[in-house]
Amino acid sequence: MASKNIVVFGDEENQLSGGTNRVQTCSSTPRKNTIDDEGNKPNFLSFSERLGVPDFFCLDVWRASMGELLGSAVLVFMLDTIVISTFESDTKMPNLIISILIAIVITILLLAVVPVSGGHINPVISFSAALVGIISMSRAIIYIMAHCIGAILGALAVRAVVSSSIEDTFSLGGCTVTIIAPGPNGPITVGLETAQALWLEIFCTFVFLFASIWMAYDQRQAKALGHVTVLSIVGVVLGLLVFISTTVTGKKGYGGAGMNPARCLGPALIRGGHLWDGHWIFWVGPTIGCVAFYVYTKIIPAKHFNAEYGFKHDFVGVVMALFGSNV
């Protein structure tokens, strides 16, 4: 179990700080010829091992998910209050201010949560890591549930501290594609077209994974740059994508690319109403983006990220194991 590798978004075999504060696995006795920490040996694993079923019964994984839950709750509370307070302050460039503050908040939260659970606080990261095989799909499911519950708690916290008028005006800072606004002849719907919003969600999610998260997946880059630098890059990239998605469209009513389905779910469940209009975009878009990124990782040379034979929980390996084959 012990490893000296430094991997930012930790998996079962590797965790930040070379083995300290790591999430222990609860799998059965290791078999011979299984993949090592760098994925350098052929593996012969059953479907349940590939899927990581023992994680469902592992207390340490559930305890680690509490870090994800609290991290998501704080994330939603901070992001939603940033959106509300920035627009309430009547600044001349609210999109830029919001983007900068988001980059700072995300970096700080990642630094806080990484030693506890690997620092996902976003279903996009957990799902992508599960597809690539860095964590098991079972652990990803546990983490994503934690993200959603945390997002709901965060939205409840926002609702508790803002007035009803602000809640109505800013929809708890939730993810919006369109809103109902006053018009010359009565209320009108303003915002972005569904197709545009979906494409933005796909593109931004892919760029997010490609331009920042991949540095955490690649052991060499994570070790060379250090976790503070990598996490800072993640925050900056997310901030830039928020700024681009809200500025390039120029559409009033569109809240920008979500890139975090749980963050969009929390306010939608608590506030309801028009937040459900097009809500599926904030789930389908990131899912497609994650799959596209996974396809990219299968195209590039495996040695690029020191996993010549693939990671233990790689999605293709899971599917092959389901049909009784090994890869």
Side-chain angles (χ1 to χ4, degrees):
M1 285 294 298
S3 172
K4 295 183 180 180
N5 295 318
I6 301 177
V7 178
V8 177
F9 292 97
D11 62 12
E12 293 180 349
E13 285 73 33
N14 304 288
Q15 185 53 281
L16 188 67
S17 302
T20 60
N21 296 323
R22 68 189 304 137
V23 180
Q24 299 294 330
T25 56
C26 297
S27 56
S28 57
T29 303
R31 297 183 181 185
K32 295 181 179 179
N33 299 324
T34 56
I35 288 179
D36 65 5
D37 288 349
E38 290 79 24
N40 289 328
K41 294 181 181 179
N43 55 328
F44 303 96
L45 302 172
S46 68
F47 175 66
S48 63
E49 289 172 323
R50 287 276 195 177
L51 202 59
V53 172
D55 283 342
F56 282 122
F57 308 98
C58 179
L59 180 60
D60 284 335
V61 173
W62 287 98
R63 291 170 65 187
S65 71
M66 289 301 299
E68 296 293 319
L69 187 152
L70 292 176
S72 294
V74 175
L75 177 68
V76 170
F77 178 81
M78 293 299 295
L79 295 190
D80 291 358
T81 51
I82 283 173
V83 170
I84 294 171
S85 58
T86 302
F87 281 105
E88 277 289 278
S89 62
D90 197 25
T91 59
K92 292 184 179 180
M93 300 183 67
N95 292 352
L96 180 60
I97 301 299
I98 290 173
S99 301
I100 294 173
L101 294 176
I102 285 176
I104 295 172
V105 167
I106 288 176
T107 301
I108 294 172
L109 284 178
L110 287 176
L111 287 169
V113 180
V114 157
V116 178
S117 58
H120 295 197
I121 59 175
N122 187 340
V124 165
I125 297 176
S126 296
F127 183 54
S128 173
L131 288 177
V132 174
I134 294 176
I135 66 172
S136 69
M137 189 61 71
S138 299
R139 183 178 299 188
I141 292 171
I142 294 172
Y143 278 10
I144 291 172
M145 289 191 300
H147 298 153
C148 292
I149 295 172
I152 295 170
L153 295 177
L156 284 171
V158 175
R159 191 177 199 178
V161 300
V162 301
S163 64
S164 58
S165 60
I166 290 180
E167 178 184 341
D168 293 336
T169 302
F170 297 101
S171 302
L172 286 181
C175 305
T176 58
V177 177
T178 60
I179 61 172
I180 306 298
N185 300 315
I188 59 173
T189 300
V190 296
L192 204 61
E193 296 291 334
T194 299
Q196 288 179 288
L198 180 60
W199 279 115
L200 263 174
E201 204 69 33
I202 295 171
F203 291 150
C204 287
T205 299
F206 182 85
V207 171
F208 166 53
L209 293 169
F210 175 80
S212 61
I213 299 302
W214 185 241
M215 294 182 186
Y217 290 173
D218 188 332
Q219 297 177 20
R220 294 173 298 178
Q221 292 191 76
K223 185 175 183 178
L225 294 173
H227 71 278
V228 174
T229 300
V230 172
L231 297 181
S232 298
I233 292 173
V234 172
V236 170
V237 169
L238 273 174
L240 286 172
L241 290 172
V242 169
F243 177 73
I244 292 170
S245 64
T246 55
T247 305
V248 72
T249 58
K251 292 285 188 177
K252 182 180 180 181
Y254 175 59
M259 297 175 285
N260 186 332
R263 185 254 165 184
C264 298
L265 177 66
L269 284 173
I270 302 304
R271 179 70 177 85
H274 70 278
L275 288 179
W276 287 114
D277 297 337
H279 178 76
W280 61 272
I281 292 172
F282 301 109
W283 287 89
V284 174
T287 300
I288 296 175
C290 287
V291 172
F293 178 74
Y294 173 65
V295 172
Y296 162 75
T297 66
K298 301 302 290 184
I299 294 174
I300 63 175
K303 289 184 179 180
H304 174 71
F305 53 102
N306 287 353
E308 183 176 357
Y309 294 97
F311 288 104
K312 181 166 67 174
H313 302 293
D314 179 87
F315 181 71
V316 170
V318 173
V319 174
M320 295 296 289
L322 176 63
F323 293 99
S325 177
N326 287 287
V327 293

